[in-house]
Amino acid sequence: MYIVPEHGRAEYGSVVFGPAMQRTPKGTEAIYLMAKEAFALNYRRLEWRCNSANAASMKGAERFGFHRDGLFRQHVVVKGRNRDIAWYSVIDQEWPAMRRAFEAWLAEDNFDSTGQQKKALQSVRKDMS
């Protein structure tokens, strides 16, 4: 995980959600709260990077609204194997719209009486654009 205050950069690092947190309102709220804090602290860029073989992590980054910046090929060697790293980010100019989408998705009226979402986060974001 990298936090580089002099460049206004922070990264989510080594976040592991077990099944109880994956694709849940509390998991989404955790990502939202971390992003909200980073931008409140005047970071300009929030990064998400993951093993390019980790499809679930890449899908999560995209679901939350991070933009894919690219692929760092053979970025690291892990257990004797090359690992490509997928990079995603949100920048300060994008955060206000992203924040509004998170807040609309997390609102009580987006969930039915059983706690199931009425609209997906991606749909909320699309409707707001």
Side-chain angles (χ1 to χ4, degrees):
M1 181 170 100
Y2 295 99
I3 297 175
V4 189
E6 62 271 21
H7 295 293
R9 254 181 54 220
E11 175 192 6
Y12 286 110
S14 300
V15 176
V16 179
F17 284 169
M21 287 283 285
Q22 295 170 358
R23 297 191 55 83
T24 65
K26 59 187 167 190
T28 300
E29 186 172 17
I31 296 295
Y32 160 70
L33 290 172
M34 287 188 281
K36 182 179 175 184
E37 183 66 11
F39 289 110
L41 291 170
N42 294 316
Y43 281 89
R44 302 169 40 254
R45 176 181 168 88
L46 183 57
E47 299 173 345
W48 178 305
R49 65 184 177 132
C50 60
N51 181 342
S52 67
N54 186 341
S57 186
M58 292 190 301
K59 186 175 179 181
E62 292 165 5
R63 176 180 168 267
F64 294 129
F66 283 71
H67 297 273
R68 185 170 175 136
D69 292 336
L71 182 71
F72 281 33
R73 299 178 305 145
Q74 295 187 6
H75 185 65
V76 294
V77 177
V78 178
K79 297 180 182 175
R81 295 180 151 187
N82 287 314
R83 179 177 288 179
D84 297 342
I85 301 295
W87 286 76
Y88 295 84
S89 69
V90 174
I91 59 174
D92 54 357
Q93 296 162 356
E94 298 161 340
W95 173 242
M98 187 178 181
R99 184 191 71 235
R100 285 190 300 274
F102 270 119
E103 290 170 354
W105 187 85
L106 289 164
E108 261 184 56
D109 63 354
N110 187 45
F111 296 89
D112 65 21
S113 61
T114 66
Q116 295 299 308
Q117 70 179 2
K118 294 178 182 175
K119 283 184 103 169
L121 180 56
Q122 299 94 316
S123 295
V124 171
R125 205 170 31 256
K126 183 179 178 187
D127 290 349
M128 293 181 142
S129 62

